[in-house]
Amino acid sequence: MLQSLMMGAIGGTMIGLSVAIMLLFLGRITGISGIFGGALIPTDGDRLWRAVFVLGLLVGGVSLWWLYPTAFPVDALKSMSWPVVVLAGLLVGVGTRMGSGCTSGHGICGLARFSVRSLVATVTFILAGAATVFLARHVLGLKSLI
Amino acid sequence: MNTSAMRLWVVFVSGVLFSVGLGLSGMTQPVKVKGFLDFFGSFDPTLLAVIGSATGLNVILFRFILRRPAPILEEKFSLPTKKEVDRPLVLGAVLFGMGWGIGGFCPGPALTSLASGTWTVLIFVIAMAAGSLGYLFVEKQMQSAKVSRESKKS
């Protein structure tokens, strides 16, 4: 557990630096849902840099695949049920667009800026996530599914 | 190198740093994310260490950066200006939280995990794109319906 927390802090520091670089050089908040969503829209004026950021995420992912494969629990990922994955993806897509942000935009950048909207969003999505896991695992007994 | 090329390199490096950070921190493993959300079961506090270190660092760094008159490669900062807590913010966060709890993925880790070449991750990302674009489309339709209703009234 201590090792897991240490790795969490090391990775978190890298994420924090990435977000700081984006603000220092481009003056932008790094919200992955907004960056990904914008990259999908042909008329988006910021489409190019957003697509390049997503490309960076993918290249980082490929480096992990080579150098730190532990990052991807492939068997567990493969065993996820398709309908569950579709439902989860749709909810994340709709929810982050409606709520203007996800874990990075609200959770990291927003909290660091002391934004009240982001604090409300972060507390809300953590509680909603916890309630969902509680309901699925401990009430409905869907532990194998979720 | 001209400014627009430099901008793209900075963004690219930032994206790589972000996803490697996600992978090292354990956040590309849905079991750790759902472990964090499982308050009454196998609670795993790793996510707190990730958000805590990333946010804590920027509570300091953002202060210094925002003291500058402008960012290095742009003429001005583009920060969110909205202040009020409204219904879409809260309802959106609830829906996102539900999806996060069900899948154990938020957008960054999902995109990073595409590199694992696993079909389920690709399906998640496609569904996420559909949800994001679908909401935008519905919102636009509702807005234009509202505008035409109001113009009829006046």
Side-chain angles (χ1 to χ4, degrees), chain A residues 5 25 31 36 54 74 84-85 100 105 126 141 146:
Chain A
L5 288 174
F25 284 86
F36 174 64
V54 173
V74 174
V84 169
V85 170
S100 329
I126 288 179
I146 290 171

Side-chain angles (χ1 to χ4, degrees), chain B residues 59-142:
Chain B
V59 164
I60 303 162
L61 292 182
F62 275 22
R63 291 283 92 62
F64 284 104
I65 295 169
L66 290 173
R67 260 183 224 167
R68 298 173 54 91
I72 293 175
L73 297 174
E74 297 281 351
E75 287 176 6
K76 58 179 175 42
F77 287 100
S78 319
L79 300 172
T81 48
K82 214 168 174 180
K83 291 272 184 282
E84 72 272 28
V85 173
D86 50 13
R87 208 158 53 173
L89 178 83
V90 176
L91 185 58
V94 168
L95 295 177
F96 164 47
M98 287 167 66
W100 195 35
I102 292 172
F105 271 136
C106 51
L111 292 168
T112 302
S113 298
L114 281 174
S116 70
T118 319
W119 280 101
T120 40
V121 179
L122 182 63
I123 293 165
F124 180 93
V125 171
I126 292 171
M128 180 170 84
S132 178
L133 290 175
Y135 178 77
L136 213 62
F137 179 75
V138 171
E139 194 190 32
K140 221 182 218 168
Q141 297 290 316
M142 279 164 64

Side-chain angles (χ1 to χ4, degrees), chain B residues 14-28:
Chain B
S14 191
V16 173
L17 193 60
F18 196 103
S19 65
V20 172
L22 279 174
L24 292 181
S25 69
M27 293 300 101
T28 49

Side-chain angles (χ1 to χ4, degrees), chain A residues 15-33:
Chain A
I15 296 168
L17 284 175
S18 158
V19 162
I21 289 171
M22 290 294 283
L23 188 69
L24 177 61
F25 284 86
L26 278 86
R28 294 277 181 168
I29 290 301
T30 313
I32 308 297
S33 56

Side-chain angles (χ1 to χ4, degrees), chain A residues 12 16 20 30 60 66 74 83 86 108 110 123 125-126 132 134 136-137 143 145:
Chain A
T30 313
W66 284 107
V74 174
V86 170
I108 296 170
V123 171
F125 63 63
I126 288 179
T132 305
F134 181 78
R137 285 189 178 173
K143 193 144 193 182
L145 215 57

